[in-house]
Amino acid sequence: MCLASLVVLGGCRAGPDYHPQSSAELSVPAAYLHSAEAHADMAGEADWWKRFDDPALPPLIARALAGNTDIASATARLQQAREGLRQAKAQFAPTISSSGNAGRLFNSAAPDSDSFSQSLDARWTADLFGGLGRGRQASAASLEAARYSLADVQRAILAELARNLVDTRTTALRLDIARDTLRTQDDNLVIAGFRVRAGLVSALDEEQARSQRAATAASIPLLVRTEAAARNRVAVLAGMAPEAINPLLGTSSKVPAAPRLVVGAPLDLLRRRPDLRAAERRLAAASARIGVAKAQLYPALVLTGNLGTTSNSIRTLTDVVTGQIFASLSATIFDGGRLRSVVRQRRAEAEESLADYHGRVLGALEDVENALVTRETSDTRLVELGQQVAAADAAARLARSNYRAGLTDFRTLLDAERTLLSARDGEASARGDRTKAAIQLYLALGGDWPQDLDFSGKKRP
């Protein structure tokens, strides 16, 4: 009767039943403060990198997914979580073990005799108060968290790779501008030399032209170093040695164009951001572990049984088989408050997970708002810099023509050339910043990974 009563009581699982937080509890607003992005067609959204017009990016992304070491580590953690769930499920099944013995008894007063025995033991723990069930829930939630954590690592690595590719292209464009400017300054130095030797101007013009040319030439090695560092970073992110990246990356100086994006509503972040989904699953696991700890406060029912046989001959080993079955009920009467302390500890861990989840949601909202402002301001800045380049180019052409005709001094030409170089270099950097702002927005929105895929590429059951 006692056992039957315990089985009935076991229908109630220890610990709280987990319910996801509502958007109001997570302080998620209805709309963003800044939502200037145009709504665009997101066909093929799982491959967001194809929306950037750089042919090197898709193969580099494929290499990163296959060979990046951080992704490989996250994949290994996912496999560990899978095995953890299998172990949690296995606790519901009985444990069966077998053993056998063989020996010979030596006796000086009697003939030697043989001894053979074999036993089969079984043990099963009843999940009376749902401790094992809560453990399985915790392991399942941890597995989901590991899946989303892998997606989050992929999201971060791919975005970082794309950013460094943009840096490579941007620096290559700045190098082209610096070398083009250097050729113009070489011409200016020749013209100044002619005018000095003709007695039309003093030697000051030639020295100023030489100084300006040397300053531009000195900037080129720094740009070469910056480009090499960006290339090497792309190689490492793609899981490749630096010297192997050149055939894949090429020598293009075209900065990838930034596509328009679908921003959606703030509530979408809870679904799209894998780091938020991982945090929510960790909260669910922490909640389930409260039940695991609480179930330890209640009695445990264990059923054990065994079958055994003993014989002096292996031929007659199975002639007589004996067996027994036991049910044991155990409960902790006094442990100094340890088990109840564990329950309080698990509750505190759940509160920590909730605070972490809430903080990550607020941080994600901040990321999107910052990315939207960055994208909007980078568009405006690029337009203004384009106008500056056009005006500075016209001014430099006019100053160069006037200097050759003797209508202006060399300092005016120097200032015009310096302003043009600064404007062109600034516009090139702004093009890269605008594209990286789009990547930042992709990252803030959670990337575009398919929601129904296990991250090995297989459909989830």
Side-chain angles (χ1 to χ4, degrees):
M1 290 179 61
C2 292
L3 290 177
S5 300
L6 287 172
V7 170
V8 171
L9 288 173
C12 300
R13 285 188 173 181
D17 290 326
Y18 175 74
H19 299 287
Q21 301 292 303
S22 67
S23 59
E25 291 172 313
L26 295 171
S27 308
V28 178
Y32 295 111
L33 289 174
H34 304 87
S35 55
E37 284 294 321
H39 284 232
D41 179 20
M42 289 297 287
E45 64 174 4
D47 299 331
W48 59 265
W49 50 87
K50 293 180 180 177
R51 300 175 64 84
F52 293 83
D53 58 344
D54 193 315
L57 189 54
L60 286 170
I61 291 291
R63 293 249 185 176
L65 289 172
N68 181 271
T69 55
D70 289 335
I71 293 177
S73 296
T75 302
R77 289 192 293 272
L78 174 60
Q79 183 59 34
Q80 294 171 35
R82 283 198 183 102
E83 297 306 324
L85 178 58
R86 290 191 179 101
Q87 294 164 25
K89 290 180 177 179
Q91 293 183 15
F92 286 88
T95 300
I96 301 175
S97 60
S98 176
S99 64
N101 295 289
R104 174 172 289 243
L105 178 63
F106 297 96
N107 192 333
S108 60
D112 298 343
S113 62
D114 295 328
S115 175
F116 300 92
S117 66
Q118 186 174 3
S119 65
L120 187 67
D121 301 296
R123 177 186 177 90
W124 179 71
T125 302
D127 190 24
L128 288 180
F129 297 96
L132 297 181
R134 293 299 191 192
R136 180 172 59 185
Q137 287 179 356
S139 296
S142 296
L143 174 58
E144 287 296 310
R147 282 197 179 109
Y148 294 129
S149 294
L150 171 58
D152 191 46
V153 171
Q154 291 174 338
R155 176 180 71 112
I157 292 298
L158 300 189
E160 184 66 14
L161 189 153
R163 277 196 296 255
N164 279 273
L165 176 62
V166 172
D167 284 340
T168 301
R169 302 305 192 205
T170 302
T171 309
L173 178 58
R174 294 177 64 199
L175 266 171
D176 288 349
I177 293 170
R179 287 166 177 157
D180 181 55
T181 302
L182 187 62
R183 286 189 291 269
T184 300
Q185 291 172 350
D186 285 336
D187 292 340
N188 291 342
L189 180 58
V190 171
I191 294 170
F194 284 152
R195 291 177 63 81
V196 168
R197 286 187 289 274
L200 300 175
V201 294
S202 70
L204 180 60
D205 284 11
E206 186 174 15
E207 294 307 318
Q208 287 177 329
R210 184 174 288 111
S211 174
Q212 184 189 50
R213 188 241 176 234
T216 302
S219 69
I220 291 177
L222 297 178
L223 292 173
V224 170
R225 183 178 67 186
T226 301
E227 184 192 23
R231 280 177 169 267
N232 294 339
R233 186 60 186 155
V234 169
V236 171
L237 290 169
M240 303 168 63
E243 63 270 13
I245 196 66
N246 288 335
L248 207 61
L249 198 55
T251 59
S252 173
S253 59
K254 178 186 176 184
V255 179
R260 307 301 293 183
L261 311 177
V262 173
V263 175
L267 188 60
D268 295 336
L269 289 180
L270 302 182
R271 176 184 62 86
R272 292 173 60 92
R273 291 254 316 210
D275 58 330
L276 299 187
R277 299 192 73 170
E280 186 274 333
R281 290 289 83 199
R282 287 193 292 269
L283 173 58
S287 176
R289 292 190 188 102
I290 297 174
V292 175
K294 200 168 184 180
Q296 300 300 312
L297 300 172
Y298 305 123
L301 173 64
V302 179
L303 300 179
T304 58
N306 65 73
L307 296 174
T309 180
T310 303
S311 176
N312 292 330
S313 171
I314 195 169
R315 294 181 179 178
T316 60
L317 184 61
T318 59
D319 287 354
V320 179
V321 178
T322 61
Q324 53 187 352
I325 185 170
F326 297 97
S328 63
L329 190 64
S330 62
T332 301
I333 298 176
F334 178 76
D335 65 352
R338 183 185 66 85
L339 291 179
R340 294 188 180 278
S341 176
V342 172
V343 174
R344 293 193 295 271
Q345 180 184 19
R346 295 295 178 262
R347 284 178 176 153
E349 289 172 354
E351 291 173 1
E352 178 188 8
S353 296
L354 175 59
D356 176 69
Y357 180 36
H358 192 184
R360 287 177 181 273
V361 170
L362 295 177
L365 294 170
E366 179 188 16
D367 291 344
V368 175
E369 294 288 359
N370 290 341
L372 287 170
V373 173
T374 301
R375 178 59 190 271
E376 182 179 354
T377 54
S378 66
D379 287 344
T380 304
R381 182 168 180 265
L382 186 58
V383 171
E384 297 298 333
L385 284 172
Q387 295 177 1
Q388 182 191 15
V389 168
D393 183 62
R397 290 176 185 274
L398 183 60
R400 195 177 301 116
S401 175
N402 289 343
Y403 180 73
R404 287 179 177 177
L407 300 177
T408 188
D409 61 4
F410 194 71
R411 180 173 294 278
T412 301
L413 176 58
L414 284 178
D415 290 341
E417 294 283 0
R418 190 180 297 114
T419 300
L420 176 59
L421 174 60
S422 176
R424 293 183 67 191
D425 187 76
E427 184 192 33
S429 297
R431 288 185 184 277
D433 291 342
R434 181 176 182 271
T435 302
K436 287 193 291 184
I439 297 171
Q440 179 186 349
L441 185 53
Y442 263 122
L443 189 64
L445 292 173
D448 298 316
W449 46 278
Q451 306 296 321
D452 61 340
L453 290 184
D454 181 347
F455 301 106
S456 63
K458 299 179 180 178
K459 285 281 186 179
R460 286 191 198 155

